[in-house]
Amino acid sequence: MELWFSEYQTKNVKLSFRIKEVLYTKQSSYQKIAVYETEDFGRILTLDDTIMLTTKDEYIYHEMISHVPMLTHGDASRVLVIGGGDGGTVRELLKHPVKEIHLVEIDKEVIETSKKYFPTISCGLSDPRVKIYFEDGIEFVKKNTGYDVVIVDSTDPIGPAVGLFSAEFYKNVFEALNEDGILVAQTESPILFDNLVKKIYKDMSSVFPYTNMYSAVIPTYPGALWTFTMGSKTINPLLKEVSSLPHIDTKFYRRELQKSYFILPPFVSNLISDRGV
Ligand code: AG3
């Protein structure tokens, strides 16, 4: 019998993978966690039947959400990751000379699942520089400060993640950041969720002096073209020179393109420039 996993990206669009085996499913206190072995995309981690990562293309998302803000900052030593319990973002951050990484993941079971089924992704979680908090990131940023970079590696704005996509949350992150601090959040698909992308950009730019969006193609996410939005207090990412910073090993991110990543396809820049599409 053929076995398939499908994510309903919208009510009318689904992306399906033929699977070899269902490796794990569990209902945690927050969500349904599942791991599938697919024919062509390696292993998939899903939360509430939504794809978080596949071992085939996860490096694109994790490199782009980490290295673009880290190189823009250039000297980050204390970094906060909100969500990201699979560990992929932490693995990339550890390629930089950071002193401390705080990971705030609401669901302990996500971390346990990743440690067991995704060793190449969760490998950094036991590094002595990493401290893990099982808490709600929305509350965490109200009480903790002193970060150079904050990365929001969240699920879509549904359920517990809704509050991570609000102007109030961005304000609290602004306060939690040091003087030259930078926020980056994963900010969804400009093709399938244009109004959401527009709202996120508007909210973040109401808080940060520099707000810049960049994109990457992530074949297994809705619409494939995905955005990340950076809020920066003092550093203009379009002017930052990164050529003298230490080399990092990557598969998708290219340092030569650092500044060009912020040059968006015209339909995306029009979308966020108030001119609509
Ligand atoms: N965060 C998930 C991004 C949202 C994907 N959305 C979707 N498939 N509908 C990534 C977690 C990986 N660290």
Side-chain angles (χ1 to χ4, degrees):
M1 199 189 68
E2 274 189 20
L3 221 46
W4 289 79
F5 164 78
S6 301
E7 172 178 340
Y8 277 84
Q9 301 185 328
T10 72
K11 222 167 70 197
N12 310 304
V13 178
K14 63 180 182 179
L15 179 65
S16 304
F17 298 82
R18 181 147 175 207
I19 60 177
K20 288 187 187 153
E21 202 185 340
V22 180
L23 292 171
Y24 181 71
T25 54
K26 175 167 188 168
Q27 184 67 45
S28 76
S29 325
Y30 297 94
Q31 53 212 341
K32 176 185 160 194
I33 303 172
V35 181
Y36 303 99
E37 189 75 53
T38 71
E39 291 286 351
D40 294 342
F41 267 84
R43 280 190 186 174
I44 301 191
L45 172 68
T46 66
L47 299 179
D48 285 338
D49 299 321
T50 300
I51 294 172
M52 292 298 111
L53 59 86
T54 82
T55 52
K56 184 101 177 158
D57 67 350
E58 57 83 17
Y59 61 92
I60 305 177
Y61 175 92
H62 290 127
E63 290 182 7
M64 291 301 280
I65 203 170
S66 313
H67 303 311
V68 176
M70 289 300 280
L71 276 279
T72 297
H73 188 285
D75 188 26
S77 71
R78 253 181 127 238
V79 181
L80 170 64
V81 180
I82 295 175
D86 51 76
T89 299
V90 166
R91 178 196 65 202
E92 295 305 314
L93 290 170
L94 287 167
K95 295 178 179 173
H96 297 265
V98 289
K99 287 207 181 76
E100 251 184 299
I101 299 172
H102 293 173
L103 176 78
V104 182
E105 166 61 57
I106 200 165
D107 192 347
K108 193 174 183 172
E109 297 285 346
V110 173
I111 293 184
E112 295 309 320
T113 306
S114 189
K115 281 190 175 159
K116 182 144 184 223
Y117 293 97
F118 296 92
T120 60
I121 296 169
S122 57
C123 47
L125 293 174
S126 48
D127 189 285
R129 288 169 288 176
V130 181
K131 193 156 185 225
I132 302 176
Y133 299 85
F134 299 112
E135 282 181 47
D136 181 350
I138 299 166
E139 295 307 313
F140 190 90
V141 290
K142 295 182 188 162
K143 304 176 302 211
N144 294 277
T145 55
Y147 297 104
D148 299 310
V149 170
V150 173
I151 295 179
V152 185
D153 182 5
S154 72
T155 53
D156 299 336
I158 302 168
V162 171
L164 297 172
F165 292 79
S166 71
E168 193 197 335
F169 171 71
Y170 301 143
K171 255 182 230 133
N172 294 329
V173 172
F174 187 96
E175 297 305 326
L177 283 166
N178 291 334
E179 207 183 320
D180 294 332
I182 288 177
L183 159 69
V184 163
Q186 74 81 4
T187 53
E188 305 286 318
S189 162
I191 292 180
L192 285 178
F193 315 123
D194 52 346
N195 286 331
L196 174 63
V197 169
K198 199 177 164 122
K199 182 187 176 295
I200 293 167
Y201 183 82
K202 193 162 163 257
D203 285 348
M204 206 184 284
S205 49
S206 73
V207 175
F208 284 87
Y210 297 100
T211 303
N212 292 87
M213 195 171 270
Y214 57 99
S215 63
V217 168
I218 303 172
T220 55
Y221 284 177
L225 184 69
W226 205 251
T227 66
F228 302 87
T229 309
M230 175 185 289
S232 170
K233 284 187 168 185
T234 60
I235 302 166
N236 180 348
L238 300 174
L239 300 178
K240 176 78 183 188
E241 275 314 324
V242 297
S243 52
S244 61
L245 294 171
H247 171 79
I248 34 167
D249 259 329
T250 51
K251 289 201 279 186
F252 186 85
Y253 173 84
R254 272 208 101 92
R255 178 208 303 250
E256 298 91 319
L257 296 177
Q258 168 77 17
K259 285 190 277 186
S260 357
Y261 284 132
F262 297 99
I263 303 168
L264 293 165
F267 85 94
V268 185
S269 38
N270 287 341
L271 178 68
I272 59 177
S273 74
D274 262 352
R275 277 184 283 150
V277 270

